[in-house]
Amino acid sequence: MNIETASQAPGRLALDLEALLAPRSIAIVGASSNPEGYSSRSLTNLLRTGYSGSIYPVNPRHTELAGLPCYPSVGHVGQPVDAAILLVRGELVADAVRDCVAAGVKVITVCSAGFAEDGEEGQARQEQLVDLARTGGSRLLGPNCIGAFDVVENVVGCPTLNITEVFTPGNIAIVSQSGGMAVNLFNRAQGRGIGIRGVVSVGNEADINVADLIDALADDEHTKVVALFVEELRDVPAFSAAVAKAHRAGKPVVALKAGRSEAGARSSLTHTGALAGSHAVFGDVMEQLGVLEVDSVDTLIDSADLLSRVEPPASNRLLIVSPSGGECSHAADRATELGLRVPPLSARSIDALSADMRFGTPGNPLDLTGQVVGNAGYLADVLSELERDPEFDMVLYAIPTWGPHDAQRLLPGFIAAARSSTKPTVISAWTAANLTEHAESVLADGDAGHFGSVDAALTALSNLARWSRLRAAAAKAPPERLAGPALPRPGELPELPTEHQSKAFLRRQGLPVSREVLLADAAGAAGVAAEIGFPLVAKQLCAGVVHKSDLGLVRVGLRDEAELDQAVRDFAQIMAVRCLKPEGLLLAELHRGTEVIVGGIRDPRFGPLLMIGAGGVLAELLDDVVFRLCPLTREEAESALDGLAVGLLLRGHRGTGYDRDALVEIIVGFSELFAASDWLAQADLNPVIVADTPTGGAVIVDAALVLTPPTKE
């Protein structure tokens, strides 16, 4: 029975994962007798891999194909059909879908191209397919995809011959928006003996999308990890809900995104907009949702494999053990660069190891020296002692390029220790042609997590530690990210409000804003300054100018009336040279502390986003910003700050304390405001000054709001 799931819109049918991956009967529409042709490949794959279900070739020009009866249409089969694979020309697809729906096919895979990827007309044809499928209660995969195949149940009906012929089943599910990359990931994993549960190429995602698959795989008994290759996310709320469901099921989602280089700043009126590069946003949002993002195909495979084998560690404390001192040093350097900690051994371990260690001094990294070569018993004793050390939570055994002799004598000891360890433990063993093949065979047969280089092993371990942190944060995330009641567009705000107008609006919404007075001109400035008190800040507002400091229209720390008069004269000269129209002189109280930027932007895919980072004039100079979906919880605001240098600074150092709690209140409050104000296109609170005392507060001393132009009737 089809039911709605958490990631689906009301009225949308749930995905029947069995019908998609392991159908009991399959119709191949457009099956061909040409052994070299594309349309013959699904039938070829099913027959060569020994599919045990019913196969129904469909082609009105044949009565028999590959020894099987061939039917003029799916409706003529006369038996229940779980799934259909469409391999016909684009103009024939709609009729084929209509025929499948009438026959009660549960899942229709459209491999044909020529739809949304071909522009508006193709998009219209694609929407027609979805309407046809949903009318009859069918789900549609594609179009423009290679479909799905199941390794566990041996159902390989995809129309590509570029897949390995020896399958290793496992518990990693691959979901890809690219058919070619789906095959690449599968072949790469299988070639290294990494088991795969199944592969789904979603193509254009006309109906079945990435979120549907994560949602369904969260309930799948054969899946432990979901590995994604994505180019863009088309339904972020559904994706977020599906990932949350996977987290609740204890199943990591690991993602590799294409288009990482597309990070150029967009044209923008605010610092936040200029910093919102597409990949920066993607990576930060994945972090918030608890998706482990990686940066290469091999890292995706390695990390998914390790996550499928071991439980995440309690911390990122790593023990490194090697019979090579140089490798110990190299591994420690790389581990530190990847954010792993390499703490000293416990005093107990040092004492125990020192008794039998003839060369060197025991430590972490632990150089076993040449003493271990030819002495498997000594190795076993050392590894057993280290297993009891409480000072670390992960282990790397870094092995040099061993030939058959040393591999045969010593690798079994490392493998046994890795498999019996209660902590995540992996082996790196450098490969070299015509030397290490025996070692590689021993490691593969030992079924322990092993990698062909120290870098690969440490990258996987660092991602394992990241997943542990992401899982803990995801457990505190809200089940749904809901904005409060929509805030009406204030009638008094123009599309580009002045700083004073922007801050007045924020003040009315309950956010802390610096005390200030706006003067029409310099007349009366001395009296107002005396009331505010020196030192103070003077700003010249001008029509159309957002970044006043870039033009020299801001003076900070004016100490007396003489300095104020000089600032006013300087402002007048700048405006005259640049032909600027004055909109008032702003005098404000001076606040001292650490500068932070809090901004908002509306992303076409992710919706309202909050940006947090180092503020003031350094906002675009320092790579110290993070983006988050709005609205944020307090826990999410704290976590976002922990990922920033400025956030760690605000935790205090060398006896200095900051009112970080007050900043968190501003972040959470503004995220709720921005999420509820769909008429706000962009916003900068820059800087927010955080006092350098634990109870000194935080205050918004400058703000720029950009409103969305009102829709014309």
Side-chain angles (χ1 to χ4, degrees):
M1 178 180 179
N2 286 329
I3 58 173
E4 292 174 15
T5 59
S7 67
Q8 296 171 332
R12 193 174 180 202
L13 295 173
L15 175 61
D16 186 335
L17 194 63
E18 183 178 358
L20 174 68
L21 287 176
R24 292 182 294 274
S25 55
I26 302 174
I28 304 174
V29 182
S32 162
S33 60
N34 178 7
E36 303 297 326
Y38 178 78
S39 56
S40 69
R41 294 179 179 181
S42 289
L43 180 57
T44 298
N45 278 335
L46 287 170
L47 293 174
R48 77 179 175 91
T49 55
Y51 172 61
S52 61
S54 300
I55 306 173
Y56 303 113
V58 175
N59 191 325
R61 293 179 295 178
H62 299 278
T63 58
E64 181 268 337
L65 281 175
L68 297 171
C70 189
Y71 301 88
S73 72
V74 177
H76 284 82
V77 170
Q79 298 292 330
V81 178
D82 288 339
I85 302 170
L86 274 52
L87 302 170
V88 297
R89 298 192 309 274
E91 62 268 23
L92 302 177
V93 170
D95 286 340
V97 169
R98 192 176 286 109
D99 177 38
C100 289
V101 170
V105 176
K106 296 176 182 177
V107 176
I108 305 167
T109 297
V110 181
C111 299
S112 315
F115 293 90
E117 75 276 12
D118 276 356
E120 292 184 5
E121 291 185 5
Q123 177 67 38
R125 292 193 298 271
Q126 181 169 299
E127 291 173 359
Q128 179 192 18
L129 301 184
V130 177
D131 290 341
L132 289 170
R134 289 181 179 173
T135 299
S138 301
R139 296 300 302 266
L140 187 143
L141 181 66
N144 190 25
C145 71
I146 65 163
F149 56 94
D150 184 346
V151 182
V152 172
E153 300 293 339
N154 193 30
V155 183
V156 185
C158 58
T160 177
L161 299 180
N162 296 317
I163 53 175
T164 177
E165 295 189 12
V166 179
F167 300 138
T168 302
N171 53 23
I172 300 170
I174 295 173
V175 178
S176 175
Q177 291 176 330
S178 161
M181 285 302 296
V183 171
N184 289 344
L185 288 165
F186 174 71
N187 289 337
R188 186 71 171 160
Q190 294 283 275
R192 294 168 52 191
I194 296 173
I196 298 298
R197 184 266 186 268
V199 178
V200 185
S201 157
V202 295
N204 292 4
E205 295 184 278
D207 177 30
I208 297 174
N209 58 30
V210 169
D212 291 326
L213 289 161
I214 296 173
D215 186 287
L217 292 166
D219 293 326
D220 177 41
E221 63 177 340
H222 299 297
T223 298
K224 190 170 182 180
V225 179
V226 180
L228 300 180
F229 179 85
V230 296
E231 295 163 300
E232 64 172 331
L233 294 177
R234 297 183 173 94
D235 189 345
V236 175
F239 179 83
S240 175
V243 170
K245 181 178 177 182
H247 269 286
R248 292 192 296 272
K251 299 184 180 183
V253 178
V254 191
L256 172 62
K257 183 186 184 299
R260 293 172 58 87
S261 62
E262 189 186 343
R266 69 184 68 180
S267 175
S268 172
L269 290 170
T270 66
H271 291 295
T272 302
L275 290 162
S278 61
H279 185 71
V281 169
F282 180 87
D284 288 345
V285 171
M286 292 305 100
E287 174 93 5
Q288 182 181 8
L289 297 181
V291 175
L292 181 64
E293 190 198 5
V294 298
D295 60 5
S296 73
V297 165
D298 282 340
T299 303
L300 177 63
I301 295 168
D302 288 343
S303 299
D305 180 39
L306 188 57
L307 285 164
S308 74
R309 290 174 176 272
V310 301
E311 289 299 311
S315 77
N316 64 347
R317 300 179 303 167
L318 174 68
L319 170 67
I320 300 169
V321 181
S322 177
S324 164
E327 188 144 3
C328 280
S329 298
H330 171 65
D333 290 343
R334 289 294 294 131
T336 302
E337 291 167 3
L338 289 166
L340 298 171
R341 289 187 290 155
V342 185
L345 293 178
S346 67
R348 180 186 182 282
S349 292
I350 293 174
D351 289 343
L353 296 177
S354 296
D356 295 319
M357 197 168 186
R358 297 197 305 269
F359 309 108
T361 302
N364 184 21
L366 177 62
D367 179 8
L368 296 172
T369 73
Q371 182 177 349
V372 74
V373 177
N375 194 341
Y378 171 68
L379 173 65
D381 291 342
V382 170
L383 299 185
S384 176
E385 179 62 41
L386 292 173
E387 172 66 19
R388 295 190 287 271
D389 195 312
E391 297 302 317
F392 56 88
D393 299 291
M394 296 183 291
V395 186
L396 168 65
Y397 298 142
I399 307 303
T401 51
W402 275 347
H405 181 271
D406 286 339
Q408 185 65 42
R409 290 178 60 81
L410 295 173
L411 273 182
F414 284 107
I415 291 170
R419 293 186 61 180
S420 63
S421 178
T422 59
K423 304 168 184 178
T425 302
V426 303
I427 302 170
S428 69
W430 295 99
T431 61
N434 302 317
L435 175 66
T436 61
E437 284 80 4
H438 183 75
E440 294 168 50
S441 176
V442 171
L443 285 167
D445 291 343
D447 193 31
H450 67 279
F451 300 86
S453 72
V454 165
D455 280 358
L458 289 171
T459 299
L461 284 170
S462 69
N463 283 331
L464 186 69
R466 279 178 57 208
W467 161 248
S468 182
R469 178 174 54 80
L470 290 173
R471 184 176 70 166
K476 302 176 183 178
E480 291 184 86
R481 198 168 302 282
L482 301 175
L487 189 68
R489 180 187 181 113
E492 74 276 11
L493 286 183
E495 290 179 20
L496 191 61
T498 66
E499 175 189 340
H500 184 64
Q501 291 170 322
S502 297
K503 287 158 72 177
F505 167 73
L506 296 173
R507 184 183 292 108
R508 289 195 298 273
Q509 305 309 313
L511 293 171
V513 176
S514 58
R515 186 166 64 95
E516 63 187 28
V517 176
L518 179 64
L519 302 171
D521 50 43
V528 171
E531 179 183 344
I532 293 175
F534 290 102
L536 53 72
V537 180
K539 305 178 184 182
Q540 178 63 57
L541 307 187
C542 296
V545 176
V546 177
H547 302 306
K548 299 176 290 298
S549 60
D550 293 350
L551 303 182
L553 297 175
V554 177
R555 294 288 191 275
V556 178
L558 299 177
R559 293 171 296 180
D560 51 37
E561 190 174 332
E563 289 189 359
L564 175 59
D565 290 342
Q566 183 60 52
V568 169
R569 289 194 295 272
D570 291 344
F571 292 160
Q573 183 178 3
I574 293 170
M575 289 188 291
V577 170
R578 295 182 174 272
C579 300
L580 299 175
K581 179 184 177 182
E583 290 191 337
L585 178 67
L586 195 63
L587 301 182
E589 61 185 349
L590 177 66
H591 291 267
R592 298 192 185 278
T594 298
E595 296 186 344
V596 176
I597 182 173
V598 179
I601 192 168
R602 297 192 183 277
D603 187 90
R605 291 295 182 203
F606 294 111
L609 292 170
L610 200 74
M611 188 192 80
I612 311 164
V617 296
L618 299 179
E620 290 185 45
L621 295 179
L622 299 180
D623 184 18
D624 191 36
V625 297
V626 66
F627 289 85
R628 290 291 185 263
L629 296 173
C630 290
L632 276 73
T633 64
R634 185 176 182 86
E635 290 79 11
E636 288 175 322
E638 289 277 10
S639 176
L641 285 173
D642 285 341
L644 296 168
V646 69
L648 296 178
L649 169 69
L650 292 174
R651 283 206 177 275
H653 66 102
R654 295 187 177 181
T656 303
Y658 299 87
D659 199 342
R660 197 171 117 140
D661 287 344
L663 174 61
V664 168
E665 293 294 334
I666 291 176
I667 291 171
V668 172
F670 183 70
S671 77
E672 294 171 348
L673 170 63
F674 192 74
S677 306
D678 59 3
W679 44 268
L680 262 180
Q682 297 180 35
D684 273 355
L685 316 184
N686 184 36
V688 176
I689 301 292
V690 185
D692 56 5
T693 60
T695 59
V699 63
I700 303 163
V701 301
D702 200 348
L705 304 180
V706 180
L707 277 62
T708 304
T711 304
K712 295 182 179 179
E713 296 295 336

